[in-house]
Amino acid sequence: MQQFAASVIVTLRQNIADVQGKTIEDGLHSLGFAQIRNVRVGKFFHFSVQAASEEEARQIVEQACVKLLANPVIEDFSISLTPEEAEVSEQ
Amino acid sequence: MKYGVVIFPGSNCDRDTLYAIEHVMGEAVVPLWHKDRVLPSDLDCIILPGGFSYGDYLRPGAIARFSPIMQEVKRFADRGGYVLGICNGFQILTEAQLLPGALLQNASLRFICRSVFLRVETVDSPFTAAATTGQVLRIPIAHADGRYYIDPDGLKALEDGDQILFRYATPDGEITEAANPNGSLGNIAGIVNRHRNVCGMMPHPERAVEALLGSEDGKVVFESLRLFVQQQEYRQWEPLASQN
């Protein structure tokens, strides 16, 4: 059994108006950051996963995203995994 | 008829709903607990009330959806029982996929608490049968996440299926952008599922049941349910094997 550090980013689908992102973008522009465009706000999850392989770990995290972390009707998610030593895991 | 009102941790409209049904509508009603795994056998309608179940953590309704009672609510709906989700209840029903679409953060990013006008789009449902098509109701909203969204195919299916019950409107019943408090697609304020026994609406009919509260227009939702339950000829839909 291996352990992986999983990072998940959940954002609203591109075609859905992200009013928070738009408001933040307006704020950045009023501060002079005219170069910044297309601000999207999302959620970030970080956790450890135990699995026999990276592929299995990815499947587990994908299921967690579809079932709970993201709402597939309105949100997209991206997953990144890096191996970690089990002893290092928090708590 | 007999109602059940589900109380989740963070529900805050359960008492208002119980009061409206028992003291104003004069119907039997029992509170149900989110951990219940058995429902009373004689329920006609289950209401998921407004509030902030589980603190709206993750997304409104995302956690409540997994409450033990939701399995029973789904089974009840699959059998053809009437389910009404108000505000947070609507959010829970979409998260549970008992209703299509989703409720996003208000376009204004603000929590909005005020009376709005709704136009009744169809009376062909157990939730609007006592109204008239085009009737304008004055009912309060109180939410931060009420911007109804559904993809274009889903919207077409809702329209083709006559599943949109209420739209935000002007006092004269016109559907305008200015009358849309939260940016909902097509001013949609309430919908019904394909089998027409599960309804979700962001406005609070239970808060508009007495003249003292400023409006009695919300009663029409409960009067509609009464029609369906008491008059068998209104029951057009057979109990269902599966939902969606």
Side-chain angles (χ1 to χ4, degrees), chain B residues 205-244:
Chain B
E206 82 283 6
R207 294 193 192 179
V209 293
E210 287 174 306
L212 188 65
L213 298 174
S215 170
E216 296 182 277
D217 292 353
K219 283 162 76 173
V220 78
V221 173
F222 304 106
E223 286 162 355
S224 299
L225 281 159
R226 180 188 285 162
L227 269 184
F228 264 70
V229 169
Q230 290 183 348
Q231 301 184 19
Q232 288 296 318
E233 65 267 26
Y234 272 93
R235 284 183 177 268
Q236 299 168 28
W237 297 286
E238 294 298 312
L240 313 161
S242 66
Q243 201 72 19
N244 273 333

Side-chain angles (χ1 to χ4, degrees), chain B residues 19-202:
Chain B
Y19 171 86
I21 294 168
E22 187 172 358
H23 294 280
V24 181
M25 302 307 298
E27 304 282 7
V29 61
V30 287
L32 305 172
W33 189 234
H34 66 108
K35 285 185 174 169
D36 289 354
R37 289 175 191 277
V38 181
L39 297 177
S41 58
D42 54 351
L43 288 183
D44 299 297
C45 178
I46 295 177
I47 296 185
L48 308 186
F52 299 85
S53 57
Y54 296 89
D56 276 355
Y57 290 175
L58 193 59
R59 296 178 304 277
I63 313 287
R65 170 205 168 178
F66 296 104
S67 292
I69 199 169
M70 286 306 293
Q71 293 270 359
E72 296 311 310
V73 171
K74 184 166 189 317
R75 206 165 293 156
F76 179 79
D78 286 349
R79 288 203 316 265
Y82 302 126
V83 178
L84 170 61
I86 300 168
C87 197
N88 188 226
F90 188 7
Q91 295 161 339
I92 295 169
L93 289 173
T94 57
E95 283 284 343
Q97 291 171 10
L98 284 167
L99 287 173
L103 282 313
L104 294 163
Q105 199 173 22
N106 294 344
S108 65
L109 298 176
R110 291 168 194 270
F111 185 95
I112 305 169
C113 182
R114 64 177 168 88
S115 279
V116 296
F117 295 94
L118 306 175
R119 189 176 77 187
V120 178
E121 299 294 294
T122 177
V123 294
D124 184 17
S125 89
F127 309 92
T128 53
T132 52
T133 304
Q135 185 178 346
V136 177
L137 309 175
R138 185 164 176 263
I139 295 184
I141 55 168
H143 60 248
D145 300 84
R147 175 166 50 119
Y148 186 73
Y149 169 82
I150 191 164
D151 63 32
D153 289 347
L155 180 63
K156 187 168 186 315
L158 281 184
E159 284 171 343
D160 291 350
D162 196 24
Q163 289 173 247
I164 299 165
L165 300 187
F166 307 106
R167 292 186 203 261
Y168 299 108
T170 65
D172 299 329
E174 282 184 66
I175 308 302
T176 67
E177 208 175 313
N180 187 345
N182 53 25
S184 287
L185 193 68
N187 286 38
I188 292 172
I191 60 168
V192 69
N193 67 338
R194 206 154 46 84
H195 299 293
R196 310 190 89 76
N197 65 318
V198 178
C199 166
M201 60 190 296
M202 289 311 295

Side-chain angles (χ1 to χ4, degrees), chain A residues 12 15-17 19-20 23 43 45 67-71 73-75, chain B residues 58-59 62-63 65-66 95 101-107 109 147 149:
Chain A
L12 282 176
N15 61 337
I16 294 179
V19 285
Q20 240 188 122
T23 305
K43 299 189 185 89
F45 303 88
K67 281 194 166 170
L68 180 62
L69 300 182
N71 178 349
V73 176
I74 47 171
E75 293 171 323
Chain B
L58 193 59
R59 296 178 304 277
I63 313 287
R65 170 205 168 178
F66 296 104
E95 283 284 343
L103 282 313
L104 294 163
Q105 199 173 22
N106 294 344
L109 298 176
R147 175 166 50 119
Y149 169 82

